[in-house]
Each structure stands twice: as C-alpha cells, then as structure tokens.
Amino acid sequence: MLLWPLLVYGAIVLSLVVLIMGLSYVLGQRHNDRATGQPYEGGIMSAGSARLRFSSQFYLVAMLFVIFDVETVFILAWAIAFRDLGWYGYIGVLVFIMLLVVVLIYEWRNGALDFGPDGKKILRAYKRMLNKPAEK
C-alpha cells in the first residue's frame, strides 16, 4: 500500500508540534501576576455573562455573507475551467447565479438589507413635527 507517506507526514507533523510546544514550555516566561488568569478582550475587562442574544437581522446578514462568499469561490472555479466546461458549464453557472438572485430577493424582502431606522417613518415623524402647532 501507499499509506506509508501519509504516516511519515503525520509523524513529522506530530513531532514538530511536540517540539514547538516543548520549546515554548522550556523557553517561555512563567509569571503569576494578579491579572494573569483573568479574561481580557480588547483592553476591556469582561463584565457580565458571555451569553448574549442576537437579533434575527444578525443571522440574516451572516447568511448573506456565507452565501456570497461561497458564491465567489464557485464562480472563480467556474471561470478557471471556463473553456473545458463549455455550454453546460455556462448554463450551470447561469442557474447558480439565478438562485443567488432569488436568495438576495428573499433576504431583501425579509429586511436583511435594512440597516438603521426606516426612512419613511422618519419622514412621517418629521412632517408631524412641522405640522404641530408651536407650544407657548
């Protein structure tokens, strides 16, 4: 079998990991200051629970990112193999792009692209404010 190169590679990787961890342990600094064991994030000491609730808009934006990030990979791979795929590849990528447009319309309708306050509501409130009689 040709499994021995994989085993040799695995042994080399494992030995490098053990070597690096060992050198880190031997050469690294050891100190136990007051704040060493406390979590630290971006210069701010943590307070409260890490269990936060995110709005559904966060997940819609995350879904948009994943969809259009994966789309880039697939279309780049299609572009590289463009001549080999021929018309079947061209039709396939058109179907793929049409599915992406459908997903984009779905996300748009669900409000994933609505960032900030609704502009129409702000204009209505502003008009009401202008039409309101002045208080004395």
Side-chain angles (χ1 to χ4, degrees), residues 2-40:
L2 295 176
L3 191 59
W4 69 269
L6 183 63
L7 293 175
V8 170
Y9 178 73
I12 291 172
V13 168
L14 187 63
S15 63
L16 280 174
V17 167
V18 168
L19 177 72
I20 290 171
M21 296 293 284
L23 283 174
S24 168
Y25 180 76
V26 171
L27 299 176
Q29 297 179 5
R30 289 176 195 77
H31 56 85
N32 197 8
D33 294 337
R34 190 184 80 195
T36 300
Q38 294 180 353
Y40 188 71

Side-chain angles (χ1 to χ4, degrees), residues 6 10 15 22 27 32 36 38 43 50 52 61 64-65 71 76 82 85 118 129 136:
L6 183 63
S15 63
L27 299 176
N32 197 8
T36 300
Q38 294 180 353
L52 299 175
V61 171
L64 267 176
F65 173 75
E71 167 235 351
L76 181 66
F82 174 72
L85 294 175
D118 187 9
M129 185 184 74
K136 294 183 182 181

